[in-house]
Amino acid sequence: MSPKDSAWLTNQWQEQFQQWISLGQTSRLRLQLCVLKSYYEEPVISELVSRYGLTVNITSARLQPDTEDDGWFDLDLWGRTKQLYSSLSYLEKLGLSIWLDLSSV
């Protein structure tokens, strides 16, 4: 990804999600993530911890064992704002759908 593309993604996330990311030294973001069945064998959620340094709490999951459907995860993400933006860019790059939980706003 070029620096220009990276800057655009960062600005996009900042504009759309700033109001939903709590302020402070560590920030919390609640979301629902759809993991496509083609990613069942990939460590998508694990990457949020190992690559981006987030604390991830899976509050709910719907994942069929027969892998015929996509999986759905309700996540609490904790980390610095920059880490959250980077992780959202990663999930978007994978083409995964993300829905923010606005009940905590």
Side-chain angles (χ1 to χ4, degrees), residues 29-86:
L29 181 63
R30 297 176 67 189
L31 58 90
Q32 187 174 67
L33 174 68
C34 176
V35 177
L36 304 173
K37 61 185 174 185
S38 60
Y39 283 107
Y40 272 16
E41 299 295 321
E42 301 295 324
V44 174
I45 294 174
S46 173
E47 287 287 305
L48 298 176
V49 175
S50 62
R51 183 185 293 182
Y52 299 99
L54 297 178
T55 299
V56 177
N57 183 22
I58 301 171
T59 59
S60 177
R62 290 170 296 286
L63 185 62
Q64 299 297 321
D66 59 11
T67 66
E68 291 194 20
D69 294 318
D70 297 333
W72 294 87
F73 296 87
D74 293 334
L75 304 176
D76 272 344
L77 304 179
W78 291 89
R80 298 192 184 277
T81 303
K82 185 175 179 177
Q83 293 169 299
L84 291 168
Y85 290 142
S86 297

Side-chain angles (χ1 to χ4, degrees), residues 12-27:
Q12 177 188 7
W13 286 117
Q14 287 174 346
E15 290 173 14
Q16 293 181 1
F17 298 117
Q18 183 62 44
Q19 62 185 325
W20 299 309
I21 297 176
S22 62
L23 300 176
Q25 190 167 0
T26 58
S27 300

